[in-house]
Amino acid sequence: MSEQLYLYPLWIRIWHWTNALMFLVLIITGLSMQYSSPDFPLIRFDLAVSFHNISGVIISINYLFFIVVNRFSFNRKYYRFKRKGFINRLMKQFLYYTVGIFKNEPPPFPVSKKRKFNPMQKFSYLMVMYIGMPGLIITGLALLYPEVIIPNVGGLSGLHLTDLVHIITGFTLSVFMMVHVYFCTIGSTPISNFKSMFTGWHDKH
């Protein structure tokens, strides 16, 4: 018998799908600009640049929206964590993902009204939302307006360093996105977590 929990209000769902769509556009256009041959571009270079910049601006506004609304809504409680015993909880969840889940063991930190994220989710989301995304947005805006970039940093080109940080951060977040999609298939059914982000209701078994 399943229990339904309303964990994803409309604003989170709109933010989530906007973020996912824009990030996908950023990945495709970024790869096109980086690796396409001039003779056989994945996307015409000027169009790739335009779509990349537009998506970057939209995702920046979307991120600011999340930070402000999350700060003043009930959702912020899900991002808090107690430092005491956090490493042990993290390892317990890691062992579940690597061993326990294949033995059909119950999750050590099941979803509830008070706990939406397990320790590994909470840690990764905090890293992504409060370190990764700001780094990607700041370097992206700097590349959009290169006149604000410091010309030289320790004898190295500030523009090249900014571009390098932007690419590394984008690659890291792309890997996170793929892992995130995979873990979303670990639910009561392979599509239940995706369905939750459309309806707002999480199926708890």
Side-chain angles (χ1 to χ4, degrees):
M1 181 109 182
S2 65
E3 175 189 354
Q4 287 197 322
L5 301 174
Y6 188 70
L7 296 178
Y8 308 104
L10 182 60
W11 75 267
I12 289 181
R13 284 176 276 151
I14 292 174
W15 165 80
H16 181 273
W17 289 117
T18 302
N19 205 57
L21 178 60
M22 291 301 102
F23 201 80
L24 188 60
V25 173
L26 287 175
I27 292 173
I28 294 171
T29 54
L31 289 173
S32 181
M33 290 187 292
Q34 191 75 19
Y35 297 110
S36 289
S37 164
D39 297 323
F40 301 99
L42 177 62
I43 301 173
R44 206 176 74 198
F45 187 80
D46 60 327
L47 290 178
V49 171
S50 295
F51 285 135
H52 196 82
N53 291 342
I54 292 170
S55 299
V57 170
I58 293 174
I59 211 169
S60 300
I61 296 171
N62 200 45
Y63 176 75
L64 182 61
F65 168 79
F66 171 82
I67 292 298
V68 172
V69 178
N70 194 62
R71 173 66 180 82
F72 296 102
S73 73
F74 74 93
N75 196 63
R76 65 177 179 174
K77 69 180 181 181
Y78 295 124
Y79 288 85
R80 297 172 183 164
F81 69 92
K82 296 179 181 179
R83 294 183 181 180
K84 186 177 180 180
F86 183 71
I87 298 300
N88 290 334
R89 295 193 297 274
L90 203 63
M91 290 306 300
K92 192 173 182 180
Q93 185 65 39
F94 176 77
L95 288 174
Y96 170 73
Y97 278 146
T98 55
V99 179
I101 196 170
F102 301 107
K103 296 181 178 180
N104 292 319
E105 295 179 0
F109 304 96
V111 175
S112 68
K113 193 68 177 177
K114 293 183 179 180
R115 180 179 56 227
K116 186 162 66 173
F117 305 134
N118 66 52
M120 286 194 71
Q121 288 174 320
K122 186 176 292 188
F123 177 75
S124 60
Y125 293 162
L126 283 170
M127 293 295 290
V128 166
M129 295 308 299
Y130 294 97
I131 296 179
M133 285 300 294
L136 186 71
I137 290 170
I138 290 170
T139 54
L141 289 174
L143 292 171
L144 188 59
Y145 301 100
E147 62 273 11
V148 305
I149 299 175
I150 300 174
N152 291 286
V153 180
L156 300 173
S157 167
L159 181 62
H160 289 165
L161 284 176
T162 303
D163 186 46
L164 181 62
V165 172
H166 188 69
I167 291 173
I168 292 174
T169 306
F171 175 78
T172 302
L173 293 181
S174 299
V175 172
F176 166 81
M177 185 175 181
M178 289 186 287
V179 174
H180 176 64
V181 170
Y182 166 71
F183 276 106
C184 282
T185 65
I186 304 174
S188 56
T189 68
I191 64 170
S192 61
N193 286 330
F194 297 100
K195 182 181 176 182
S196 296
M197 200 50 72
F198 282 104
T199 66
W201 293 92
H202 172 80
D203 287 327
K204 181 182 178 183
H205 284 255

